[in-house]
Amino acid sequence: MIATQIRQKDAIFYFASYSSEQLLTRVRFISRYFDEEGGTIAPEQVQEEDDVAQFIARIERSDKAFQRELSRSKVRAIRNFYETAISQPPIPGTVLLFTPQKLHFEAWPDGSGVGQLREPEEKYLIIDGQHRLAALQFYERTHPAESKSINVPCVIFDGRSEDFATEMFVIINSTPTRINKSHLVDLYERVSWAEPDRRFAAHIAEMLYRESDSPLRYRINRLGGRSRQEKWILQAELFNEIHRWVKRIWGKIEKDGTDKRAAARYYNTIRDFLKASALVWAESWGNPDYMVTKPVTLKAMIRVCADLATQEADPEEDRVNRWTLRLAPWTELKRNFRNEGFYERFPAKGQVERVVRIQRELARSAGIQSRSKGTAAD
């Protein structure tokens, strides 16, 4: 195929044009897609060793309701645009494709950068454009003649490492209309440009979601407003509080170590604090009639945890029992955290100020000196 080789710093990639008919046979979908007429595109099986496809599929398929609802509505809207677009190009933006194969390119001698690019033996992975191509496939089924006149501009990345493809996926999809910020927390560990303190905090947040001994296991909302399951706090909000703490003591963390074992120590601290909190709050913990496990209170408790850990994190042995005794005065506050009248009992101009008020009340009750500033890290 004819392509243009693009050089940017040390990177080399290609720009090419595929007819819709050709392209749809050369890409693989890793998520199931639907249209309004009941048509489906079944996802191709993702091989266990295909790290990039596994990674993107984990984001795309992270909630069944999210994927089905989003794909159906979004594909329908794009397909409708293809049907109504007359003078404007239906696909003006490029679709980003990736293949781990190193493609052979033979440039023309005129120095233009144009030449012959040999296509990969395997199908391309779609870094950006799965919904557009899914809509194009449905459009092709109902408008076969019209679809043949559509050529799709493509940028092709080849022969790169899995981390490179993952990083491209994050960069392209990191706007608010693509991946929710809660998703991006999942990705901090995979991208080279993420600050080390963010990666460290992201690993702690991920452990709070994943580990079997975490009081927040599966209660962290990683999908933003798209989640259809009962969750207590957005991952982005939880991450902000953890990062706020990590950033404040980053000098100490750097000195002690920043690897995953070090992050696990901080996870253990938060885990023990939340276990002690759950024991103290008793029947109000996780109770929908109380605000105890709502974001505003959980964020305040993480700040109290940061202050308590600074004063008496060690020894780790028997820490849950020790901290349960320390937080015992919270039992007298349960009534204040009932839903009815909660916002009158903790008046504030907004949630940021309310988190500070609750933090101060919790710290005062437990006799914990507060060293936190009243603003979030992000």
Side-chain angles (χ1 to χ4, degrees), residues 31-33 60 63-71:
S31 297
R32 181 177 293 277
Y33 290 94
E60 295 273 351
D63 187 293
K64 291 180 181 179
F66 156 72
Q67 180 55 41
R68 184 177 179 89
E69 178 182 325
L70 177 65
S71 65

Side-chain angles (χ1 to χ4, degrees), residues 45-280:
Q45 184 175 0
V46 177
Q47 299 298 321
E48 189 173 336
E49 64 273 11
D50 192 338
D51 187 55
V52 181
Q54 288 279 0
F55 175 76
I56 297 177
R58 182 166 66 87
I59 300 300
E60 295 273 351
R61 300 174 183 171
S62 49
D63 187 293
K64 291 180 181 179
F66 156 72
Q67 180 55 41
R68 184 177 179 89
E69 178 182 325
L70 177 65
S71 65
R72 189 186 295 276
S73 61
K74 190 171 182 179
V75 169
R76 180 172 61 243
I78 299 173
R79 179 170 179 253
N80 181 66
F81 176 66
Y82 291 162
E83 292 174 337
T84 57
I86 303 297
S87 59
Q88 69 268 48
I91 309 178
T94 56
V95 171
L96 270 62
L97 308 175
F98 170 75
T99 174
Q101 293 179 240
K102 181 63 179 175
L103 302 180
H104 176 74
F105 178 74
E106 187 173 340
W108 293 349
D110 60 2
S112 63
V114 180
Q116 287 285 339
L117 180 67
R118 183 178 298 170
E119 296 176 282
E121 298 173 1
E122 300 178 354
K123 291 183 178 181
Y124 293 109
L125 182 67
I126 306 167
I127 294 180
D128 184 53
Q130 285 210 83
H131 283 87
R132 280 174 285 163
L133 294 186
L136 182 60
Q137 181 157 316
F138 290 127
Y139 179 70
E140 184 185 57
R141 294 178 185 179
T142 55
H143 300 75
E146 292 90 337
S147 66
K148 289 182 179 179
S149 66
I150 297 178
N151 289 289
V152 183
C154 301
V155 171
I156 301 169
F157 297 92
D158 72 316
R160 297 283 185 154
S161 70
E162 288 82 358
D163 285 344
F164 170 82
T166 300
E167 189 161 340
M168 285 301 302
F169 180 79
V170 176
I171 292 170
I172 294 301
N173 288 281
S174 60
T175 66
T177 57
R178 303 267 179 101
I179 294 181
N180 184 278
K181 186 176 179 182
S182 284
H183 280 327
L184 293 179
V185 176
D186 295 338
L187 313 182
Y188 279 130
E189 288 190 274
R190 299 296 300 271
V191 295
S192 61
W193 43 261
E195 297 92 336
D197 54 314
R198 288 182 177 274
R199 288 202 298 270
F200 192 87
H203 186 63
I204 298 171
E206 197 274 335
M207 293 182 73
L208 283 167
Y209 179 86
R210 168 176 50 85
E211 293 299 320
S212 60
D213 60 353
S214 170
L216 298 184
R217 191 186 194 196
Y218 304 146
R219 295 294 187 177
I220 300 169
N221 186 345
R222 301 173 115 180
L223 296 174
R226 297 171 176 146
S227 177
R228 297 296 181 268
Q229 299 177 9
E230 182 186 352
K231 304 293 174 69
W232 290 347
I233 188 171
L234 280 172
Q235 181 166 249
E237 292 184 284
L238 179 66
F239 167 80
N240 283 349
E241 292 304 325
I242 297 171
H243 180 238
R244 181 178 184 272
W245 177 18
V246 166
K247 191 173 181 180
R248 192 179 78 191
I249 60 171
W250 185 243
K252 179 182 184 302
I253 294 173
E254 280 190 308
K255 186 181 298 182
D256 295 340
T258 61
D259 58 10
K260 290 187 176 181
R261 285 191 301 177
R265 290 196 295 272
Y266 283 85
Y267 159 75
N268 291 341
T269 299
I270 299 175
R271 176 204 63 197
D272 290 351
F273 180 87
L274 292 174
K275 284 184 175 182
S277 300
L279 291 171
V280 170

